Amino acid sequence: MAPTTGSHACQTRSASTIKQAIMNPSSRPGSSPVSGKAAVDSTAAGSGIGADQAAASACAWQPSIAAAGPGPRRPSRAVDIAGVRVGGCAPVVVQSMTNTDTADIAGSARQVAELWRAGSELVRLTVNTAQAAAAVPRIRERLDMMGVSVPLVGDFHYNGHQLLSAEPACARALAKYRINPGNVGFGHKRDHQFATIIELAIEHGKAVRIGANWGSLDQALAARLMDENAASAQPREAAAVLRDALIRSALESAQRAEALGLARERIVLSCKVSGVQELIAVYRDLAARSDHALHLGLTEAGMGSKGVVASAAALAVLMQEGIGDTIRISLTPRPGQSRSDEVVVAQELLQTLGLRSFTPMVTACPGCGRTTSSFFQELAEQVTGHVRQKMPEWKLRHPGVENLSLAVMGCVVNGPGESRHADIGISLPGTGEAPAAPVFIDGKKAMTLRGENIAGEFLQVIDQYIAQRYR
C-alpha cells in the first residue's frame, strides 16, 4: 500500500530528516517534550510547593564515593585482526583512517606508515573503485618491505561485494572488512550483496565490522519502526525510536552474518552518530544488548578543538563505564595538518583515563600573573618534544618508560607539590622569586638548578633517570 499521511509519511523522509528527528524529538508528530522550566512550574503547581523546592526535588543527582579509576570493562568476544586483539578485555585498540586516494599506492603506503609510527594499531583504507581494490595488495607489499606490519581494514560502501569478488588479492590482503548495513544493498539485492561479503570473509578468514551510521541509516527499517511506534498505545519519542533503529540495524546484520556461518569472534559492531549525548545513549543500549566487541567513534566529530573536545566528551564517558574495545578519533584535519594528529589524541585520551600508557605524560601549569616569563612554557614544550623524539628509542631499550610522569611547574604556589607527585618534576621560579629551580625525583628534592642552562640540565636528569630505572 502506498504511503498516505500520518505515520506512513516517514517512509518518504530523507536521511537528513531522520537525523533531525534524532537530534530534535519535537520534530515528530506525537512528541511533545516539556522544557525544564515548564516541568518545574507544573510540579510546583501540582504539589503546592515553591518553584525553588520543585527545582531541587527534580534533580535526581545523589552523591557517591567511588575509587579513582575507570569502571570494570564490559565483557565482550575477543576478535583477532591479524594479530591485533580487539575485545575480550584486551587493551583498547587505537585505529585511524587514511584520506589519500587508495589508488595512489605510494602516497597511501606513506600515510599508513605515518599513522602506524604515530601509534595506530589498525589503519582503514577507502576501497571504492576497481583501481583502489587493485592497489590494496600492492600497498600491503610495500608496507611489508618497509617493515610496517599494521593490519589494513577495507572500508566498503555500495559495491563491496563486487570489488572483493573481482579482486581476490584485495580480499586476502585486508585483515578486516567494514560493511555499512545502511548501504550494502537495497531492496531484494541487499541480502545477496551482504551475504557475498560475509562469505568472502569466511573464505579468507577475515574479521568484519558491521558499522551502522546515522548518516546512512537503513531507511526501510527506520520507517517500519516509526510506524510501529505510532501505532503503539504508549509511543516513545522519535529520537529513541531512531536510536533503536540504528542499533537494530547493526544487531540484525550481525545475526544474519552468524546465520551465514561467520563466527561471533569475527564480528565487531559500531553505531556512530555525531552528537555526544546521542552517542552515549546509543552505546549504552548497544552494550547492554550484545556481547560483540565494540568500535567507538563520534562520526564527523569536526575540526580542531571542537572535534577533540566532542570526541573526548563522548568516548571518555563510555570508556569510564567500561564500554568500548577500539576507538577512532574522527578529526577533520586542517589543510596541511598531519593525519596522525588523530592518533595522538586517541592515545592521550586513553592514557589520561588510565586505560593505557603510550608515552611519558608531562604535567605543566597553565600560567598566571605569577609567571610573567615564558621560560616555563618553553621548557614544557622542550620536554614534551624531547620525550616524543626519544620514545622510539626508549620503547626498545627501556620497557615501561611509557609510565613515567613528568612535571614542569611555573612558580612556588603549586610547583613543589605537583613536582613531588611526578616521578621527575621541576619548579621554576615565578615573578619575583629567587632564580633557582628545585628538581624533585621520586617525591624528594634531589637538586636545585641555576643559571642559563636549566633546560639542558633538566633534560639530562630525565635521560639519566630513565637509563637507571628502566633497564
Side-chain angles (χ1 to χ4, degrees):
M1 181 180 295
T4 54
T5 59
S7 65
H8 294 281
C10 66
Q11 294 180 354
T12 61
R13 292 191 167 205
S14 65
S16 62
T17 307
I18 287 179
K19 177 176 175 179
Q20 182 184 11
I22 297 177
M23 294 294 290
N24 179 16
S26 63
S27 65
R28 286 287 303 171
S31 298
S32 54
V34 180
S35 71
K37 183 178 184 303
V40 169
D41 291 345
S42 174
T43 300
S47 62
I49 63 175
D52 289 343
Q53 278 184 283
S57 65
C59 179
W61 179 81
Q62 293 291 332
S64 62
I65 300 175
R73 293 283 301 281
R74 161 187 168 269
S76 62
R77 301 297 181 102
V79 181
D80 183 271
I81 303 170
V84 175
R85 192 180 187 209
V86 174
C89 291
V92 178
V93 170
V94 172
Q95 60 179 278
S96 56
M97 186 174 183
T98 61
N99 61 357
T100 57
D101 180 355
T102 305
D104 175 4
I105 296 167
S108 296
R110 187 164 51 248
Q111 190 174 80
V112 170
E114 177 188 344
L115 292 166
W116 175 73
R117 292 190 184 102
S120 185
E121 294 159 302
L122 299 172
V123 176
R124 183 158 40 116
L125 298 157
T126 296
V127 187
N128 58 336
T129 64
Q131 293 77 13
V136 167
R138 297 175 64 186
I139 293 170
R140 178 73 273 167
E141 290 172 2
R142 185 170 292 221
L143 291 170
D144 291 341
M145 291 175 64
M146 297 164 65
V148 177
S149 58
V150 64
L152 299 178
V153 180
D155 195 61
F156 296 99
H157 300 271
Y158 306 106
N159 60 351
H161 62 294
Q162 296 173 335
L163 297 176
L164 288 168
S165 298
E167 292 288 346
C170 173
R172 290 191 295 270
L174 294 169
K176 184 173 73 168
Y177 311 153
R178 184 276 171 110
I179 307 174
N180 184 338
N183 60 33
V184 70
F186 303 97
H188 67 279
K189 295 181 180 180
R190 182 183 187 283
D191 288 347
H192 170 71
Q193 292 173 188
F194 179 84
T196 298
I197 299 177
I198 297 301
E199 288 164 0
L200 286 166
I202 295 169
E203 177 184 347
H204 296 291
K206 307 299 182 181
V208 171
R209 172 161 72 94
I210 296 172
N213 191 301
W214 75 347
S216 50
L217 182 60
D218 184 334
Q219 299 291 293
L221 175 61
R224 174 167 59 84
L225 294 183
M226 281 294 203
D227 287 347
E228 291 174 0
N229 185 63
S232 171
Q234 295 181 320
R236 296 178 293 164
E237 288 187 341
V241 176
L242 293 171
R243 286 197 299 267
D244 186 43
L246 192 68
I247 294 167
R248 286 178 62 170
S249 178
L251 291 176
E252 290 177 7
S253 296
Q255 290 169 1
R256 280 194 290 271
E258 291 182 45
L260 289 165
L262 186 65
R264 184 167 290 205
E265 289 76 15
R266 290 284 185 185
I267 299 173
V268 178
L269 298 183
S270 66
C271 291
K272 291 192 178 183
V273 302
S274 57
V276 170
Q277 295 295 347
E278 288 73 24
L279 190 84
I280 293 169
V282 164
Y283 272 92
R284 281 173 172 165
D285 196 358
L286 178 61
R289 294 163 68 173
S290 165
D291 67 350
H292 290 96
L294 299 182
H295 168 123
L296 298 187
L298 194 71
T299 190
E300 294 113 21
M303 182 178 283
S305 60
K306 186 271 180 186
V308 173
V309 171
S311 294
L315 271 58
V317 171
L318 291 167
M319 290 191 291
Q320 184 72 8
E321 296 176 4
I323 298 170
D325 301 295
T326 178
I327 65 170
R328 184 201 169 198
I329 306 296
S330 300
L331 298 181
T332 303
R334 292 185 173 89
Q337 182 181 3
S338 172
R339 188 70 165 179
S340 62
D341 286 356
E342 68 175 46
V343 179
V344 175
V345 173
Q347 290 183 329
E348 290 182 346
L349 175 58
L350 289 171
Q351 187 152 351
T352 301
L353 287 170
L355 290 167
R356 290 189 67 179
S357 294
F358 297 96
T359 188
M361 293 292 281
V362 181
T363 298
C365 72
C368 66
R370 292 177 176 270
T371 55
T372 52
S373 167
S374 63
F375 181 65
F376 86 94
Q377 298 163 308
E378 294 165 2
L379 179 57
E381 188 174 30
Q382 282 182 275
V383 171
T384 301
H386 182 72
V387 166
R388 290 210 170 274
Q389 181 183 3
K390 299 282 282 186
M391 266 309 290
E393 173 192 344
W394 285 348
K395 281 194 295 186
L396 297 175
R397 299 180 58 185
H398 305 293
V401 69
E402 64 275 7
N403 296 303
L404 178 71
S405 61
L406 304 168
V408 178
M409 304 303 295
C411 78
V412 74
V413 175
N414 292 322
E418 286 286 356
S419 296
R420 285 190 178 94
H421 285 306
D423 294 316
I424 308 174
I426 186 169
S427 180
L428 296 167
T431 304
E433 295 177 21
V439 174
F440 298 83
I441 298 177
D442 293 330
K444 297 178 180 179
K445 183 178 176 181
M447 65 194 74
T448 299
L449 302 181
R450 295 180 173 84
E452 300 297 321
N453 193 33
I454 288 178
E457 292 177 13
F458 185 61
L459 293 180
Q460 288 180 7
V461 170
I462 294 172
D463 290 345
Q464 291 168 3
Y465 181 89
I466 289 171
Q468 294 172 3
R469 178 174 174 182
Y470 300 101
R471 297 180 178 179

